Amino acid sequence: MFAGGYWGKILRVNLTNKTYAVEELPRETANQFLGGMGFAVHYLYKELTPGIDPLSPENKLAVFPGPFTGTNVPCSSRIAFAAKSPLTGALGVALSGGYFPAELKFAGFDGIIVEGKAEKPTYIFIQDGKVLFRNAQRMWGSTTSDCQVMIKHDLGDQNVRIACIGPAGEKLSHMACIINERRAAGRKGLGAVMGSKNLKAIVVRGNQQVPISNAEALKEARSTMAKAMKASPVLYPQFSKLGTAMVVDHLSAMGMLPMNNWSETGTAPVEENIGVAKQEELKVGKEHCHSCPVGCTQQLITRKGPRAGILGEPEYESFYSLGSTTGVSDVGEISASDRLCDELGLDTMSAGVCVGFAMELAQKGLLPKEQHEGLDLSFGNATTQYELIRRMALREPGLGELLTNGTRQAAKKLGGEAWKYAMHVKGLELPAYDVRGAMAHGLNYATSFTGADHNRGYAIQEIFSVPVPYPVDKDSIEGKGALTKWNQDIGTGTCDCATICAFMLTIAMPDTIVECTAAMATALTGVTFTADDVWRIGERVNNLAKAFNCREGFSRKEDTLPWRVMHEPLKAGLSKGGVISPEKLDTMLDEYYTVRGWDKTTSAPTKETLLALNLPEAARDLYGA
Amino acid sequence: MFAGGYWGKILRVNLTNKTYAVEELPRETANQFLGGMGFAVHYLYKELTPGIDPLSPENKLAVFPGPFTGTNVPCSSRIAFAAKSPLTGALGVALSGGYFPAELKFAGFDGIIVEGKAEKPTYIFIQDGKVLFRNAQRMWGSTTSDCQVMIKHDLGDQNVRIACIGPAGEKLSHMACIINERRAAGRKGLGAVMGSKNLKAIVVRGNQQVPISNAEALKEARSTMAKAMKASPVLYPQFSKLGTAMVVDHLSAMGMLPMNNWSETGTAPVEENIGVAKQEELKVGKEHCHSCPVGCTQQLITRKGPRAGILGEPEYESFYSLGSTTGVSDVGEISASDRLCDELGLDTMSAGVCVGFAMELAQKGLLPKEQHEGLDLSFGNATTQYELIRRMALREPGLGELLTNGTRQAAKKLGGEAWKYAMHVKGLELPAYDVRGAMAHGLNYATSFTGADHNRGYAIQEIFSVPVPYPVDKDSIEGKGALTKWNQDIGTGTCDCATICAFMLTIAMPDTIVECTAAMATALTGVTFTADDVWRIGERVNNLAKAFNCREGFSRKEDTLPWRVMHEPLKAGLSKGGVISPEKLDTMLDEYYTVRGWDKTTSAPTKETLLALNLPEAARDLYGA
């Protein structure tokens, strides 16, 4: 290892041969990409052959925690899972929290690259530098909770931490997620990548202590961050108590919480049914990730109806995807659906949007009655939603098979006008913000390399005016290209690469978080990182990821938005009449590409931009030697 | 502590005052009652006031592992939970396995007595001799799996072992069970006793090593037992691979697996649908209890239909109660129902028998259509079964409320002829052996102090002729009084008090197990126990338990069988025409009371019998000073 923040060890696991190797993490890579998603993008760009099938053994799963993960830096137990996405065909990244990320560090590695395909269902057990390949036949088909219980028993060790897939991942649903404990690396179908490799779970356990270069300096920087967190009028007073789902009230009040597959946003109040007051009735407790003093995960127990007794941990996004956009207006039902998705290993967001999509198609006659399989596909039918989740996760013939790979593929299969109501960008279903009332957020959905993703470039300035600085006119397109770049790069530098929890950025002061990240990285690694370096890392990673997509054939035409967002104005709310017309989008894109130094026709980073970011390999790939 | 096998410490927990005390286990008690159910019966007899409401704070929950629990004696991690039963009104005992029993010993106690009632939902955490009272408000309403996950997280310790209740226990269902890990102390509604005390869970953790008086001698005795186990042609070759559910084929072939609420036993083969061959299709693995080299728990995953993805661990009894007697003929559905019962904390046996009872009443018009709540109550409807389990566990108004306290109370509420089809003895629903073809087994159902209980006095000689010695004519009543006493006392001495797993007795050689129990008890405690002593302990405990019931007002009239068993002959099978008529039962009872030294009128142990068994307190209670 090289001292200071990194073990200097990357674990490379080959499932085909049941072999593993420990490789050196180059100091240069550490300095240029910091960790987490940065490392993942770096390795996948370097190692994945363009054009491969994401569900073939040629794809690789990269698993990278951040530099602070496993230390007592607040909210640092985060980890990036990445691979070429079966859902989007682009580079796919999803981050998760919990205890798995820290435990991987305790096991002595800076990250894992999983290659090949096991002959039979397998799980890998990584403990203090060693790897075992274990038979997972018995866990195959199990829910994610059961799988974790079974593995703990199988190993005779209750203290292992497990990232696993459910039946959805095994069935190669393009919406399959990866679950560790009850946290999810939810999006982009990375669970299917594990499934395609016959990899049921990655299990970690260790007793190593993360090396720190300057403990005193880290303590100081950490303390600055902790103070900034305490100073937030939102973080502890509200967020710690209510979690992300408190956002329901706010977005509903703005008229920006998408309803009924985005057809009715803002036309009726949603918070009356599923807002904080209603959530509180079912709330039983909260959970923390490792090293987190906040604890934003809210636990709700369904108290009545056929799903009574089920414990869920729905985030704001699930209140949208399994609630407002499917018309389900009961907190308990949303929570139960959320849990079912987690258990079967299906992304709650894509799954819910698929349900809403099917419901609207049924209403519009675009999904013929004979294909309804006896289900009442009316908006708001919670039992139908619950059943559809199951059918999608298990890829049951009919509706399950039709919807399991997301709205884009389903619309293509159905033909006709179905595509107009498929709420996705690049195949990734839209998150819970009706961007017809938030232009930069919309531009971000259009340009994020992962598809419509609220975890890249979240336009906090448009969604919340207080306490975040730099509030902007959310309905105006002016300056939104620059703002989107700003949001994407800061988020990638701090949250995606340093793997500081994204909620720190959206709730605390962005500038402070960047400065703290730089100071903590310096203290941890012994290499000087400035705030500019953190920004630069964010920009570098976003450029390299974009280059990955361009190498796969992505161009400007994929940087777009769903038809509805571009052609049907908001019917109500603060941004009534709002729409991101193709013209508006084009104007914003032009500005965005310009500030990014990207080509306006191809949308690719120019050679100069890539070289300026020290990405010569990408420059060579896109523009020749 | 006093050395050798016992800590000499009983933990007494008072939930009302949130206090606890550590009491000495008298050497005399240890010698007279050995452990497990013996200790439980001793303490409850001594401490419970006759006539108390089982769900009042005056009831006590006794929790006692056996002397070998926590050592490496094979199959010794068993524990008796006991209290006055809300289901039967008699003394209620249920044993469980898993890791909880051993961990309680590691925590430094020979057992626990829980008294009073907590003001609010509480769990107790017992670690290395100390007790914490913890708020369980957040776990209240949770399933048994979720509860265990939440408590581990709450304590920040993944290695605790937890015995808890589900929603059924909280709702005071008289069929509520106690679940530790995924093992159940299933019967007699002891989960409701915990619920009535606002006690969600008992959590144990420790690092003590069980004191052994003569390790060398224990090793030798243990080795004799291990050899006997190896010599069994059934234990490892079959039972270890197939578990209890393999019995489906055997009992079905005998025509003794009760079908459709005991109306059609043996008239159609059941093993074709739910026998071993079909079970194997869904089998994914097996589980062991602590110290068990056998591992009889089979794990099945439901692969199709609305319950696909659910992992169950159904025993033979569940294949009956949630299968043959409700007409459900799909292994996956039975397994899923089994899991639901476990999660909601409902005894699979009583719950299933209640479902079958409701189905037959519906068929016979004894449950009016307007009370069906839209459910198709036909035999064999798995979805109805699943839904009824939920409604019973959550005590939902209507059918849930009607059935949640068992068939006896439901029949009473319904009136008319419903009682004829309520398959219980003393309120406890019948296990999976149609005793019209097994007379001693029937006599045991009638006389067991806990009600119809296959875990007291299992008539192995009638059910399996090989490899068990002493086969008898199962259809004859001759000598069955003596045989029943034999079965009850050997089972209580070895399995209930020494807490050697009951499967050792039913599968290996009974005499060997008694001898090994005596030798191991001698080696462990340093006090000499002979085989006669083990028999004597079994007899003593059964007499004291009977005295408990008599003190509660039980008499000969409660030692009976369901109407159907006494009046409707078997329609098919090896014992076609078999019935235990009131006359036959009376003849057997007379013999039984005689060999027991019990009064034929009152059914109570005579004074002489009690004094001969060194139970002077019971003699005084029943017959005066």
Side-chain angles (χ1 to χ4, degrees):
Chain A
M1 73 176 192
F2 54 82
Y6 302 101
W7 295 113
K9 288 181 188 169
I10 306 293
L11 174 66
R12 188 177 296 272
V13 174
N14 188 301
L15 292 169
T16 309
N17 310 327
K18 291 194 184 181
T19 57
Y20 69 96
V22 179
E23 296 179 4
E24 197 191 347
L25 169 71
R27 173 70 78 172
E28 176 72 4
T29 302
N31 295 348
Q32 292 271 307
F33 294 95
L34 197 51
M37 184 173 99
F39 286 179
V41 169
H42 165 71
Y43 278 100
L44 293 179
Y45 184 88
K46 203 165 64 167
E47 299 187 10
L48 290 188
T49 307
I52 58 162
D53 175 355
L55 299 181
S56 71
E58 286 68 43
N59 201 0
K60 299 185 184 188
L61 180 71
V63 186
F64 285 96
F68 313 131
T69 307
T71 72
N72 66 355
V73 166
C75 310
S76 62
S77 185
R78 304 275 303 164
I79 195 161
F81 291 87
K84 183 173 177 180
S85 161
L87 187 63
T88 65
L91 191 55
V93 185
L95 279 89
S96 180
Y99 286 77
F100 178 88
E103 195 74 32
L104 172 54
K105 290 292 275 286
F106 302 154
F109 292 108
D110 296 312
I112 316 169
I113 299 167
V114 183
E115 308 178 336
K117 178 182 178 176
E119 195 187 350
K120 288 178 182 168
T122 298
Y123 74 86
I124 54 174
F125 178 37
I126 302 164
Q127 184 170 29
D128 284 324
K130 294 201 170 58
V131 181
L132 288 181
F133 295 80
R134 302 271 305 176
N135 184 345
Q137 191 64 56
R138 62 183 303 196
M139 295 88 189
W140 207 246
S142 66
T143 61
T144 55
S145 279
D146 285 349
C147 175
Q148 294 180 64
V149 170
M150 290 163 96
I151 286 176
K152 285 177 180 177
H153 204 84
D154 193 43
L155 293 171
D157 186 346
Q158 297 291 314
N159 286 300
V160 297
R161 297 293 179 173
I162 301 162
C164 67
I165 58 172
E170 299 170 14
K171 300 276 186 182
L172 310 180
S173 165
H174 292 186
M175 305 191 295
C177 66
I178 299 168
I179 296 280
N180 60 286
E181 297 112 59
R182 286 186 176 161
R183 308 289 80 216
R187 313 217 65 200
K188 296 115 200 172
L190 301 178
V193 174
M194 281 181 69
S196 73
K197 296 183 176 308
N198 274 329
L199 181 62
K200 180 70 176 175
I202 300 171
V203 184
V204 291
R205 177 90 151 92
N207 288 300
Q208 319 293 309
Q209 203 170 352
V210 177
I212 296 170
S213 179
N214 185 338
E216 201 49 46
L218 183 64
K219 193 176 165 190
E220 199 177 313
R222 184 187 171 282
S223 161
T224 308
M225 180 171 162
K227 273 182 200 145
M229 288 167 65
K230 271 195 189 136
S232 161
V234 179
L235 190 61
Y236 290 108
Q238 290 185 50
F239 189 68
S240 178
K241 287 184 185 135
L242 303 166
T244 60
M246 71 177 182
V247 179
V248 166
D249 295 43
H250 182 58
L251 269 286
S252 174
M254 291 173 87
M256 275 175 58
L257 181 51
M259 288 159 58
N260 294 3
N261 198 39
W262 299 60
S263 65
E264 301 289 336
T265 304
T267 55
V270 171
E271 71 267 33
E272 283 179 16
N273 297 319
I274 62 171
V276 165
K278 285 289 184 183
Q279 293 168 26
E280 288 290 298
E281 292 173 12
L282 301 187
K283 186 174 156 183
V284 293
K286 52 183 273 182
E287 294 286 358
H288 294 246
C289 296
H290 179 270
S291 79
C292 174
V294 180
C296 68
T297 300
Q298 307 299 306
Q299 296 186 313
L300 310 178
I301 289 186
T302 309
R303 296 287 182 193
K304 61 183 172 56
R307 263 72 64 187
I310 295 177
L311 178 85
E313 299 181 345
E315 304 290 340
Y316 168 62
E317 291 294 337
S318 297
F319 274 93
Y320 145 73
S321 63
L322 299 165
S324 64
T325 200
T326 61
V328 171
S329 56
D330 179 273
V331 172
E333 290 290 356
I334 294 167
S335 180
S337 284
D338 176 81
R339 177 67 182 271
L340 184 64
C341 285
D342 288 353
E343 289 296 347
L344 299 178
L346 210 57
D347 173 30
T348 60
M349 294 170 64
S350 283
V353 172
C354 275
V355 172
F357 173 64
M359 286 172 167
E360 182 166 16
L361 294 190
Q363 183 184 289
K364 286 198 150 52
L366 295 169
L367 183 71
K369 190 88 182 170
E370 60 271 21
Q371 284 181 249
H372 295 194
E373 299 174 1
L375 296 174
D376 169 13
L377 284 168
S378 308
F379 280 117
N381 190 319
T383 297
T384 295
Q385 171 168 296
Y386 203 77
E387 178 60 15
L388 271 182
I389 290 168
R390 204 190 53 74
R391 293 188 193 183
M392 293 189 294
L394 296 169
R395 197 182 269 280
E396 291 201 347
L399 281 174
E401 175 68 38
L402 174 71
L403 298 167
T404 196
N405 289 347
T407 54
R408 178 168 70 177
Q409 202 179 101
K412 204 170 166 188
K413 281 187 196 166
L414 287 165
E417 293 211 318
W419 67 274
K420 285 188 175 177
Y421 309 103
M423 303 308 294
H424 72 85
V425 175
K426 299 185 178 72
L428 185 68
E429 281 67 29
L430 264 59
Y433 304 86
D434 198 321
V435 292
R436 289 172 288 193
M439 296 295 128
H441 214 58
L443 180 61
N444 183 56
Y445 283 3
T447 58
S448 166
F449 72 89
T450 48
D453 196 337
H454 68 297
N455 284 322
R456 314 267 93 67
Y458 188 103
I460 184 77
Q461 310 84 353
E462 291 182 336
I463 313 295
F464 301 97
S465 52
V466 175
V468 177
Y470 334 124
V472 296
D473 179 354
K474 70 191 189 58
D475 300 306
S476 160
I477 62 171
E478 202 172 337
K480 295 303 172 70
L483 182 64
T484 297
K485 175 181 184 301
W486 194 92
N487 282 324
Q488 290 174 343
D489 290 349
I490 191 176
T492 294
T494 58
C495 306
D496 297 331
C497 297
T499 76
I500 298 292
C501 174
F503 298 137
M504 296 310 101
L505 188 65
T506 45
I507 287 172
M509 303 290 107
D511 289 336
T512 311
I513 295 298
V514 175
E515 279 155 24
C516 287
T517 301
M520 293 190 300
T522 303
L524 192 84
T525 65
V527 173
T528 303
F529 286 87
T530 64
D532 275 354
D533 288 332
V534 174
W535 277 102
R536 192 83 169 160
I537 286 165
E539 186 174 9
R540 181 177 298 121
V541 171
N542 280 316
N543 274 267
L544 187 58
K546 179 70 175 179
F548 181 102
N549 287 355
C550 291
R551 197 173 64 172
E552 294 286 338
F554 281 72
S555 180
R556 177 168 176 145
K557 70 177 189 304
E558 282 84 16
D559 287 351
T560 187
L561 288 166
W563 177 86
R564 171 164 266 156
V565 171
M566 296 199 289
H567 295 90
E568 286 186 356
L570 277 177
K571 291 177 184 164
L574 299 185
S575 297
K576 187 178 173 181
V579 74
I580 307 183
S581 64
E583 297 73 28
K584 280 186 183 171
L585 180 61
D586 265 338
T587 306
M588 289 197 289
L589 280 175
D590 282 344
E591 185 202 338
Y592 174 79
Y593 295 141
T594 303
V595 297
R596 274 244 176 260
W598 290 2
D599 185 283
K600 285 188 198 169
T601 311
T602 65
S603 83
T606 63
K607 190 171 182 177
E608 294 68 33
T609 301
L610 292 169
L611 291 174
L613 289 165
N614 198 19
L615 296 168
E617 195 184 348
R620 207 164 43 242
D621 287 345
L622 298 188
Y623 301 103
Chain B
M1 73 176 190
F2 55 83
Y6 301 100
W7 295 112
K9 288 181 188 168
I10 305 294
L11 174 66
R12 188 177 296 273
V13 174
N14 187 302
L15 292 168
T16 309
N17 310 326
K18 290 194 185 182
T19 57
Y20 69 95
V22 180
E23 295 180 4
E24 196 191 347
L25 170 70
R27 173 70 78 172
E28 175 72 4
T29 303
N31 295 348
Q32 292 273 304
F33 295 96
L34 197 53
M37 184 173 98
F39 286 179
V41 170
H42 165 72
Y43 279 100
L44 293 180
Y45 184 87
K46 202 166 61 165
E47 300 186 10
L48 290 189
T49 308
I52 58 163
D53 175 356
L55 298 181
S56 72
E58 286 68 45
N59 202 358
K60 301 186 184 188
L61 180 70
V63 186
F64 284 96
F68 314 130
T69 308
T71 72
N72 66 357
V73 166
C75 310
S76 63
S77 185
R78 304 276 302 164
I79 195 161
F81 291 87
K84 183 173 177 182
S85 162
L87 187 63
T88 65
L91 190 56
V93 185
L95 279 89
S96 180
Y99 287 75
F100 178 88
E103 195 74 31
L104 172 56
K105 289 292 274 287
F106 302 155
F109 291 109
D110 296 311
I112 316 169
I113 298 167
V114 183
E115 307 179 335
K117 178 183 179 176
E119 195 187 350
K120 288 178 182 168
T122 298
Y123 74 86
I124 53 173
F125 178 36
I126 302 164
Q127 184 170 31
D128 284 324
K130 293 201 171 59
V131 181
L132 289 180
F133 294 81
R134 302 270 305 175
N135 184 343
Q137 191 64 55
R138 64 184 303 196
M139 295 87 188
W140 207 246
S142 66
T143 61
T144 55
S145 279
D146 285 350
C147 175
Q148 294 181 65
V149 170
M150 289 163 97
I151 286 176
K152 286 177 179 177
H153 205 83
D154 193 43
L155 293 172
D157 185 346
Q158 297 292 314
N159 286 301
V160 297
R161 297 293 179 174
I162 301 162
C164 66
I165 57 171
E170 300 170 15
K171 301 276 186 183
L172 309 181
S173 165
H174 292 186
M175 304 189 297
C177 66
I178 300 169
I179 296 278
N180 61 285
E181 297 113 58
R182 287 188 174 158
R183 307 290 82 215
R187 313 216 69 201
K188 296 115 199 171
L190 301 178
V193 174
M194 282 182 68
S196 73
K197 296 184 176 306
N198 273 329
L199 180 62
K200 181 69 177 175
I202 300 171
V203 185
V204 291
R205 177 90 149 91
N207 289 300
Q208 319 294 308
Q209 204 171 349
V210 176
I212 296 169
S213 178
N214 184 340
E216 201 49 47
L218 182 64
K219 193 175 164 190
E220 198 177 313
R222 184 186 171 282
S223 160
T224 306
M225 179 171 162
K227 273 182 201 144
M229 289 166 66
K230 273 196 189 133
S232 161
V234 179
L235 189 61
Y236 289 108
Q238 290 186 50
F239 190 68
S240 177
K241 287 183 185 134
L242 304 166
T244 60
M246 72 175 181
V247 179
V248 167
D249 295 43
H250 181 59
L251 269 284
S252 175
M254 291 173 88
M256 274 176 59
L257 181 51
M259 287 160 58
N260 295 4
N261 199 40
W262 298 61
S263 65
E264 300 289 334
T265 304
T267 55
V270 172
E271 71 267 34
E272 283 179 15
N273 297 318
I274 62 171
V276 166
K278 285 289 184 182
Q279 293 168 25
E280 287 290 297
E281 292 173 11
L282 302 186
K283 184 175 158 183
V284 294
K286 54 183 270 181
E287 294 286 358
H288 293 246
C289 296
H290 179 271
S291 79
C292 174
V294 180
C296 69
T297 300
Q298 308 298 305
Q299 297 186 312
L300 311 178
I301 290 187
T302 310
R303 296 288 183 193
K304 61 183 170 57
R307 263 71 65 186
I310 294 176
L311 178 85
E313 298 180 348
E315 304 289 340
Y316 167 61
E317 292 294 336
S318 298
F319 273 93
Y320 145 72
S321 63
L322 300 164
S324 64
T325 199
T326 62
V328 171
S329 57
D330 178 273
V331 173
E333 290 291 354
I334 294 167
S335 180
S337 284
D338 176 81
R339 177 66 182 271
L340 185 63
C341 286
D342 288 353
E343 289 297 347
L344 299 178
L346 209 58
D347 173 29
T348 60
M349 294 170 63
S350 282
V353 173
C354 276
V355 172
F357 173 63
M359 286 172 167
E360 182 165 18
L361 293 190
Q363 184 183 288
K364 286 198 149 51
L366 295 169
L367 183 72
K369 191 88 183 169
E370 59 271 21
Q371 284 181 249
H372 294 196
E373 299 174 0
L375 295 174
D376 169 12
L377 284 169
S378 309
F379 280 116
N381 190 321
T383 297
T384 294
Q385 171 168 295
Y386 203 77
E387 178 60 13
L388 271 183
I389 290 167
R390 203 189 55 71
R391 294 187 193 183
M392 293 189 294
L394 296 168
R395 198 182 269 279
E396 292 200 346
L399 281 175
E401 174 69 35
L402 174 71
L403 298 167
T404 196
N405 290 347
T407 53
R408 179 169 68 176
Q409 201 178 100
K412 203 170 167 188
K413 281 187 195 167
L414 286 166
E417 294 212 317
W419 67 274
K420 285 188 174 176
Y421 309 103
M423 303 308 294
H424 72 86
V425 175
K426 298 185 178 71
L428 186 68
E429 281 67 29
L430 264 58
Y433 304 86
D434 198 320
V435 291
R436 289 172 288 192
M439 298 294 127
H441 214 58
L443 179 61
N444 183 56
Y445 283 2
T447 58
S448 166
F449 71 89
T450 48
D453 197 336
H454 69 297
N455 284 321
R456 312 269 93 67
Y458 189 102
I460 183 77
Q461 310 84 350
E462 291 181 337
I463 313 294
F464 300 98
S465 52
V466 175
V468 177
Y470 334 123
V472 296
D473 179 355
K474 69 192 189 59
D475 300 305
S476 160
I477 63 170
E478 200 173 340
K480 294 303 171 72
L483 182 64
T484 298
K485 175 182 185 297
W486 194 92
N487 282 323
Q488 289 173 342
D489 290 349
I490 191 175
T492 293
T494 58
C495 306
D496 296 330
C497 297
T499 77
I500 297 291
C501 175
F503 299 138
M504 295 310 99
L505 186 65
T506 45
I507 287 171
M509 302 291 111
D511 289 334
T512 312
I513 296 296
V514 175
E515 279 155 24
C516 287
T517 300
M520 293 190 301
T522 302
L524 192 82
T525 64
V527 174
T528 303
F529 287 86
T530 64
D532 276 353
D533 288 332
V534 174
W535 277 103
R536 191 84 169 157
I537 287 164
E539 187 174 8
R540 180 177 299 121
V541 171
N542 280 317
N543 273 266
L544 186 57
K546 179 70 177 181
F548 180 102
N549 287 356
C550 291
R551 197 173 62 172
E552 294 286 338
F554 282 71
S555 180
R556 178 169 176 145
K557 71 177 187 306
E558 282 84 15
D559 286 351
T560 187
L561 288 167
W563 177 87
R564 172 164 265 158
V565 171
M566 295 197 291
H567 295 90
E568 286 186 357
L570 276 177
K571 292 178 184 165
L574 298 186
S575 297
K576 187 176 173 182
V579 74
I580 307 184
S581 65
E583 297 71 29
K584 280 186 185 173
L585 179 60
D586 265 338
T587 306
M588 289 196 290
L589 280 174
D590 283 344
E591 184 202 338
Y592 174 78
Y593 295 142
T594 302
V595 296
R596 274 243 176 261
W598 292 1
D599 184 283
K600 284 188 198 171
T601 311
T602 65
S603 82
T606 64
K607 188 170 183 179
E608 293 66 34
T609 302
L610 292 169
L611 291 174
L613 289 166
N614 198 19
L615 297 168
E617 194 184 350
R620 207 165 42 241
D621 288 345
L622 296 189
Y623 301 101

